Amino acid sequence: AGGGPEFARRMSAASIVGWTALSALVPGAAHLRAGRRRAGYVLLSAFGLLLLSAAVIAVVILNNVGLLLRDSTLLTATVLAVVGALLWFVLIVTSYVSLKPGRLNRVGQIASGIAVGLLCIVVVAPFAVAANTVIAARNTANFIFPSGTHQTTAPIKHEDPWNGRDRVNFLLVGGDAAGNRTGVRTDSMTVASVDVKTGNTVMFGLPRNMQHVRFPPHSPLGKRFPNGFFAELPNGGLLNEVWQFAEDNPQVMGGKHQGPRALKDAIGHTLGLKIDYYALVNMYGFADLVDAIGGLDIRVEQDIKWGGLYGTAGTIKAGFRKLSGEEVLWYGRSRVNSDDFSRMARQRCVIGAFAKQATPDVVLANFNKIAAATKRLASTDIPRPLLEHLADLALEVKNAKITSTQFVPPEFWPGNVDWVKVRRSVTSALRQSTRGNRRALAADVTASPGATGTGTTGRPTTEPQAKGPDQSPTPGSSKKDTGDKDLAEVCGL
């Protein structure tokens, strides 16, 4: 009478295992079946409270996805995953014990014990995977993004991470460093100017062979080259040499590792923009990142041969293609029957495709691969505390207008740049991007020095045209891009 209710009939080994498994999904079920009602109801209530808390957290995260990337959030999630694994392990064991497996015969005890042991492994495994994934995310973020403790920039405020600015400007640099080369050649340089409220983005592409760029007068290189970067050399002073010059001459820069600062100074002064942050992407690491998300869907306008001087390694056929990391790398960098300006056009399409196709579900599904690839590809001065806000901004960009301006012939000549005209074009492109009732104008982008085009005013250009090795249309060529078009239209994204 005082020992609690008895089973109506003796339970089999299969029944005990089944009720124990049910308890892994509905905590308290086994205790209720065993007649331990108080413990069963307590477990059910706790589970209901846990589900309610999870729902509230999910709603908060949906309204602030960047919250997931906070270091404190990732650390908390890791601890919760470990605690959850321990609690569910204890839950399964206590549920099994409450069903009194000792009443079974020896064979039933052994069989049910083995089955419940396997169940413990199956239930704990997802928690272990979750903890491992969160740890990988935290380690990757802390590895790539500086902590900010030594940053000269103002502290990041959660209520206003952009310090009251309407736009934030990121310099995206493709680094061409390989084992047979000394230093880093910045062969791809693009500034992404992002409206922090709408996500509308203008991409400014600068050619690697832009000559004799100026620097802010007060900057170290501005004092060293008051008339432009190696202005005394008619064929020297290329933009893609600025980074390495600063690295090789710390006495000029006033310290070591000032390549990013020098390039930000040069490009910011050229465009008339304040470059807030930079990100250097190793191109071979980028190929790994593309493979990690399963490749990129690209519209290839014409066959692209790659490898060697004559494209003997392979051909990327024209059409809508899903390209592997290696193919994306060569699509953006091949020089066969091409020139720097058509390469720039293809590169901006690669950036646009990645921005559109690296969706949250794709990132989550391939997270460990992405984390491993990301560690190999990037360095940046974006402070770690800004990462959560950057994630929210990236989601805005994904659904916003992305337009492009590239400073290439015949509108802009790298060897003789009209710096005032460059700044006017930047101002015009930004103004167009902020107009909500119209699509932003994509500035004139040509496939080769010989392609015809229109300027930012829409009028045909009148500068002489040089013959180029390839006159056929490519993504971003003026034959495709004249008029009021954005990057999605130009590249077929």
Side-chain angles (χ1 to χ4, degrees):
E6 295 288 334
F7 293 118
R9 59 186 177 84
R10 190 180 300 274
M11 296 185 70
S12 66
S15 296
I16 290 178
V17 172
W19 279 100
T20 303
L22 180 62
S23 291
L25 300 174
V26 185
H31 289 76
L32 290 174
R33 176 64 179 84
R36 300 179 60 182
R37 294 180 180 176
R38 179 177 296 178
Y41 288 136
V42 169
L43 288 171
L44 275 175
S45 299
F47 184 59
L49 184 61
L50 181 63
L51 290 178
L52 180 61
S53 301
V56 172
I57 292 173
V59 171
V60 172
I61 289 174
L62 285 176
N63 293 323
N64 184 8
V65 176
L67 182 64
L68 283 173
L69 295 178
R70 281 188 189 176
D71 189 68
S72 58
T73 302
L74 295 174
L75 183 59
T76 301
T78 302
V79 173
L80 289 178
V82 173
V83 171
L86 293 174
L87 289 178
W88 249 258
F89 177 82
V90 172
L91 171 67
I92 292 172
V93 172
T94 57
S95 297
Y96 175 62
V97 172
S98 71
L99 295 169
K100 300 180 179 180
R103 294 185 175 189
L104 300 173
N105 58 34
R106 186 174 180 80
V107 174
Q109 292 179 33
I110 294 174
S112 63
I114 292 174
V116 171
L118 293 173
L119 178 64
C120 286
I121 295 174
V122 170
V123 170
V124 169
F127 290 97
V129 171
N132 182 65
T133 300
V134 174
I135 290 172
R138 184 168 180 260
N139 289 342
T140 299
N142 293 338
F143 178 84
I144 294 175
F145 297 92
S147 65
T149 55
H150 299 291
Q151 296 293 308
T152 57
T153 55
I156 304 301
K157 298 178 290 186
H158 289 293
E159 65 277 9
D160 183 18
W162 311 114
N163 293 318
R165 301 190 63 186
D166 294 327
R167 305 193 73 86
V168 60
N169 303 308
F170 301 92
L171 172 59
L172 309 177
V173 183
D176 187 8
N180 60 341
R181 295 187 182 131
T182 301
V184 175
R185 298 196 312 181
T186 55
D187 272 8
S188 173
M189 290 159 284
T190 301
V191 172
S193 183
V194 185
D195 187 306
V196 299
K197 294 180 180 178
T198 67
N200 288 351
T201 300
V202 183
M203 293 167 55
F204 299 104
L206 295 98
R208 57 186 287 276
N209 60 342
M210 181 178 280
Q211 288 183 274
H212 308 148
V213 290
R214 271 67 169 172
F215 303 90
H218 63 274
S219 67
L221 292 186
K223 298 173 182 177
R224 173 69 173 79
F225 301 106
N227 298 317
F229 188 50
F230 283 109
E232 68 277 10
L233 301 178
N235 297 317
L238 303 183
L239 180 59
N240 77 330
E241 297 172 343
V242 170
W243 179 303
Q244 195 58 42
F245 178 87
E247 294 290 308
D248 293 339
N249 295 274
Q251 75 282 0
V252 175
M253 296 299 300
K256 296 181 179 180
H257 311 301
Q258 296 298 305
R261 174 191 173 189
L263 191 60
K264 287 167 65 175
D265 282 348
I267 292 178
H269 190 67
T270 297
L271 301 181
L273 299 175
K274 178 183 182 296
I275 305 299
D276 298 286
Y277 306 102
Y278 87 94
L280 170 67
V281 178
N282 178 288
M283 291 187 176
Y284 295 97
F286 182 73
D288 292 338
L289 188 60
V290 170
D291 285 332
I293 67 169
L296 282 183
D297 293 319
I298 298 282
R299 183 181 68 183
V300 181
E301 291 286 338
Q302 62 184 35
D303 289 357
I304 303 294
K305 294 182 179 296
W306 58 274
L309 295 175
Y310 305 104
T312 55
T315 301
I316 301 171
K317 294 291 186 181
F320 283 93
R321 306 287 181 197
K322 178 175 283 293
L323 303 184
S324 67
E326 183 182 25
E327 289 171 330
V328 166
L329 184 65
W330 284 111
Y331 172 76
R333 303 184 69 240
S334 177
R335 299 177 184 274
V336 180
N337 296 326
S338 186
D339 55 32
D340 282 341
F341 312 120
S342 55
R343 291 200 321 157
M344 287 175 61
R346 299 196 300 269
Q347 287 166 5
R348 61 99 182 253
C349 288
V350 168
I351 294 173
F354 191 87
K356 294 293 184 182
Q357 294 172 39
T359 56
D361 58 313
V362 171
V363 172
L364 289 174
N366 302 279
F367 190 83
N368 284 338
K369 294 179 182 178
I370 292 172
T374 301
K375 281 188 177 182
R376 297 191 296 270
L377 72 86
S379 66
T380 182
D381 63 352
I382 298 173
R384 177 68 177 85
L386 189 64
L387 183 56
E388 62 173 286
H389 307 289
L390 186 61
D392 290 329
L393 185 61
L395 291 177
E396 293 288 343
V397 172
K398 196 173 295 293
N399 299 314
K401 296 182 297 184
I402 302 178
T403 54
S404 178
T405 296
Q406 301 209 82
F407 300 104
V408 298
E411 190 73 8
F412 301 92
W413 296 91
N416 186 24
V417 182
D418 184 337
W419 307 111
V420 174
K421 186 177 181 181
V422 167
R423 290 193 173 193
R424 281 203 304 262
S425 296
V426 170
T427 301
S428 175
L430 294 179
R431 186 185 303 117
Q432 293 288 351
S433 178
T434 58
R435 294 183 180 177
N437 61 343
R438 295 181 58 188
R439 292 175 301 177
L441 284 174
D444 40 345
V445 182
T446 64
S448 68
T452 58
T454 59
T456 54
T457 60
R459 294 187 298 271
T461 58
T462 57
E463 298 185 40
Q465 300 176 16
K467 295 294 183 181
D470 180 17
Q471 301 294 332
S472 54
T474 61
S477 68
S478 61
K479 294 180 181 179
K480 288 289 200 179
D481 297 359
T482 54
D484 187 9
K485 295 184 179 180
D486 62 22
L487 195 60
E489 294 175 294
V490 172
C491 299
L493 301 179

